[in-house]
Amino acid sequence: MTTLVIGGAGYIGSHVVRLLVERGEHVVVVDDLSTGFAERARGADLVELDVTLPDAQDKLAFHLHASGADSVIHFAAHKQVGESVAKPELYWHDNIAGLANVLAACASAGVRDVVFSSSAAVYGVPDVDLVTEELIPAPINPYGETKLVGEWMLADAERAHDLRTVALRYFNVAGTGWPDLADTQVMNLVPIVLDALDKGKKPIVFGEDYDTPDGTCIRDYVHVVDLAEAHISALDYLRGEERPYRVFNVGTGTGSSVLDVIAALSRALGEEIVPEIGPRRPGDPAKLVCSTDRIRETLGWSSSKSLDDIVESAVAARRGTPEATSA
Ligand code: WQD
């Protein structure tokens, strides 16, 4: 089988590429290398291409034909919530036009199977204990809006061109399966805390007055290797006969507070981290934890790694020590 992984030189995409290569699949990585690294595409063919450009559709169709690809996994997108609020036009164009080019190329090349990287951001700030896929999406920022529109585009393409599509709504991804695939962008809690400590600064907790047991926000942290495995399961699902759903949450079903994460990092580092308590960050829901029933019952996927596994792998990668867990 041959899979085209768009954004496969990025943090999450490269973990999926590594798993696909390890299981003997032929992989073509398409990436503009704006935030990814060519070295991460080890074992795969690499095509440097910005899928948001006007001529990308034809170029993608050519590579789909030339490689004999039978499936596509699309990761390439901007994903910073704050940036999306400041520059919505960047997100409307790149996230949506890029996906439009990918879907048009699949239709013209006769490639049916598409796995799409969506996000829990489509839910906005749900006031429920566990988020299920039946919840009506209500994104509160342009980033989340582009992910929801992307899901609609998949459904339109499926109807128009007989594609087989699935969208995976990621909750909070962290950790690494290999040190060379660690998240190099400092945009989420775990890398932000580690970066602050490396700079001799105190990490800042955004608010301690939420309606949660310790007052800090709760999220569903999922190991990037578990998430990558979910993409492999999604590909196998698309190649199967029964496909009752097109959207799946990907998380652990377990919540961890900001202070829980900091305590886990303290354990992994062997030193106590004393954070500063700062003001709330606008737009943060108090709790965002997913139900994993649908993905478990339909794809047979469940997370296997704990919060300690996540932070230990991130710490080991940061320290450049070989113990960073491999998949
Ligand atoms: C996690 C928690 C912060 C930094 C975002 C995207 C979402 C998804 C995951 C792509 C929050 C708190 C953070 C800090 C803190 N990305 N925090 N101090 O906002 O849950 O989700 O990333 O799909 O779409 O929205 O992730 O890592 O920014 O924050 O207290 O220095 O850590 O308030 O509660 P978030 P995050």
Side-chain angles (χ1 to χ4, degrees):
M1 305 293 246
T2 297
T3 304
L4 215 75
V5 182
I6 302 165
Y11 165 49
I12 299 172
S14 60
H15 278 84
V16 174
V17 169
R18 194 118 337 153
L19 291 182
L20 285 170
V21 167
E22 283 193 349
R23 82 170 193 170
E25 297 212 18
H26 175 222
V27 180
V28 178
V29 169
V30 174
D31 203 295
D32 68 0
L33 301 181
S34 58
T35 57
F37 303 99
E39 305 75 52
R40 285 174 169 169
R42 197 172 71 219
D45 298 330
L46 175 62
V47 173
E48 190 171 345
L49 174 63
D50 178 350
V51 295
T52 69
L53 296 179
D55 62 352
Q57 177 186 332
D58 291 342
K59 289 179 177 176
L60 278 169
F62 168 80
H63 288 292
L64 286 167
H65 273 301
S67 64
D70 41 40
S71 46
V72 166
I73 306 179
H74 183 55
F75 292 99
H78 300 290
K79 63 167 189 173
Q80 293 182 58
V81 169
E83 181 185 53
S84 79
V85 174
K87 301 177 187 172
E89 61 284 350
L90 176 69
Y91 280 67
W92 301 331
H93 182 268
D94 287 6
N95 288 10
I96 293 174
L99 177 59
N101 284 337
V102 169
L103 293 173
C106 287
S108 68
V111 174
R112 296 184 65 202
D113 295 350
V114 179
V115 178
F116 174 61
S117 166
S118 188
S119 168
V122 304
Y123 293 114
V125 285
D127 186 17
V128 293
D129 197 43
L130 276 185
V131 177
T132 68
E133 294 89 347
E134 282 75 30
L135 205 64
I136 296 174
I140 60 168
N141 51 63
Y143 165 68
E145 291 165 356
T146 65
K147 289 300 184 179
L148 181 58
V149 168
E151 293 180 13
W152 295 342
M153 290 164 67
L154 256 68
D156 293 342
E158 184 157 335
R159 279 188 290 271
H161 305 297
D162 190 31
L163 301 192
R164 304 184 298 194
T165 71
V166 67
L168 299 180
R169 291 176 178 170
Y170 305 166
F171 279 68
N172 290 63
V173 191
T176 186
W178 294 268
D180 62 321
L181 303 188
D183 187 3
T184 54
Q185 295 188 293
V186 185
M187 294 194 302
N188 295 104
L189 179 62
V190 170
I192 288 173
V193 171
L194 291 174
D195 186 65
L197 296 175
D198 284 349
K199 292 173 178 168
K201 295 179 180 175
K202 284 193 171 187
I204 301 172
V205 175
F206 295 154
E208 202 182 32
D209 57 351
Y210 286 95
D211 183 16
T212 62
D214 66 14
T216 66
C217 290
I218 294 172
R219 294 289 183 274
D220 188 331
Y221 295 92
V222 58
H223 197 293
V224 66
V225 169
D226 279 339
L227 176 70
E229 295 282 6
H231 288 75
I232 309 296
S233 300
L235 278 181
D236 293 341
Y237 169 72
L238 290 180
R239 295 163 180 168
E241 290 309 310
E242 296 298 313
R243 291 186 305 282
Y245 301 106
R246 291 195 357 271
V247 172
F248 295 93
N249 287 338
V250 187
T252 66
T254 303
S256 301
S257 73
V258 176
L259 291 179
D260 289 335
V261 173
I262 289 176
L265 281 163
S266 296
R267 290 193 294 273
L269 289 164
E271 63 183 70
E272 188 189 4
I273 302 169
V274 180
E276 268 181 42
I277 304 300
R280 289 185 174 196
R281 181 175 67 175
D284 269 339
K287 182 175 180 182
L288 204 57
V289 177
C290 77
S291 163
T292 57
D293 291 348
R294 180 183 286 187
I295 194 169
R296 183 182 63 256
E297 292 162 6
T298 311
L299 271 63
W301 177 91
S302 292
S303 62
S304 63
K305 297 178 188 295
S306 67
L307 179 64
D308 281 325
D309 294 330
I310 288 172
V311 298
E312 284 165 11
S313 68
V315 166
R318 195 133 188 133
R319 286 177 168 166
T321 52
E323 299 94 72
T325 55
S326 61

